[in-house]
Amino acid sequence: MSWFNKNTNIALTLVLLFSSGCSFTPLYSSYGNNINKTEIKDIYIPPADSRMDQIIRNELIGFIQGDVNNTNSKLHLNFQTSFDKKALFLSSKGKATHSQITITVDYQIFEVGEFKEVLYSNKIIVIDSFANWQSEFNNSRSEIKTNNIIAKEIAKKISNQINLHFIK
């Protein structure tokens, strides 16, 4: 029994010694990712046209934490949103008791040079719902809050997808 433990200890010691000398880096370390982080921080996001686009842009600015207003940046992020609202769960009076909002965002990252080269593009669809009340004020507040939640989720997904794409 002690022979087995002695061999196991020797084998573990040898594995640790050999692995410490190789170029092993932990999966979640920040070592070597500085180039990608600076590329992502240099993404220019143009001003938005609609309120939903502006909310998504503001959330992206928070996630990217770079100079998104630098028009001379070599990377540009463009996105287009589409909005759909449906009535759900009709009551016996024919009035919707819930509404569902679907927002679809198509986005592209361009490298600006002599030509605009698409480096990455993707589509995100986020769906959420809210309860309809008898008060129109409450309904509008619920819709605004749901739109803000969806915009934050979209910005988070775009940021995560961009980060995953640019990891080399």
Side-chain angles (χ1 to χ4, degrees):
M1 197 69 151
S2 70
W3 178 78
F4 178 74
N5 287 337
K6 188 186 288 184
N7 286 340
T8 305
N9 288 339
I10 292 171
L12 283 174
T13 305
L14 289 174
V15 167
L16 289 174
L17 284 173
F18 286 118
S19 66
S20 66
C22 71
S23 62
F24 170 78
T25 57
L27 180 62
Y28 296 107
S29 76
S30 61
Y31 177 76
N33 289 337
N34 293 337
I35 295 170
N36 296 328
K37 299 247 185 252
T38 57
E39 283 180 5
I40 291 169
K41 286 186 176 186
D42 290 339
I43 293 176
Y44 168 69
I45 305 172
D49 296 331
S50 69
R51 178 70 181 141
M52 179 56 70
D53 290 350
Q54 184 62 43
I55 295 170
I56 293 171
R57 182 180 188 271
N58 290 344
E59 292 296 326
L60 279 170
I61 290 170
F63 282 117
I64 292 176
Q65 297 177 349
D67 186 11
V68 297
N69 295 317
N70 182 7
T71 57
N72 296 326
S73 176
K74 68 177 186 173
L75 298 177
H76 287 217
L77 172 71
N78 292 336
F79 61 91
Q80 302 80 31
T81 60
S82 61
F83 180 85
D84 184 37
K85 181 179 170 184
K86 294 182 197 174
L88 300 175
F89 306 123
L90 297 177
S91 68
S92 60
K93 296 179 182 178
K95 190 171 181 180
T97 59
H98 287 76
S99 293
Q100 175 180 307
I101 296 175
T102 304
I103 297 179
T104 305
V105 177
D106 292 307
Y107 68 94
Q108 307 84 27
I109 296 180
F110 295 98
E111 183 173 14
V112 178
E114 188 175 336
F115 302 103
K116 270 186 151 180
E117 179 186 350
V118 177
L119 296 178
Y120 181 67
S121 65
N122 208 341
K123 176 188 273 191
I124 294 176
I125 300 171
V126 178
I127 302 170
D128 203 351
S129 62
F130 62 93
N132 289 328
W133 307 95
Q134 291 180 2
S135 166
E136 287 301 318
F137 175 77
N138 288 342
N139 289 340
S140 65
R141 292 302 306 157
S142 294
E143 185 173 348
I144 290 169
K145 186 174 180 181
T146 304
N147 286 340
N148 289 340
I149 290 170
I150 291 174
K152 286 179 184 181
E153 183 67 24
I154 288 171
K156 184 176 172 182
K157 287 183 177 191
I158 289 173
S159 174
N160 288 342
Q161 289 175 357
I162 290 171
N163 284 325
L164 287 173
H165 177 73
F166 282 104
I167 290 176
K168 295 179 182 178

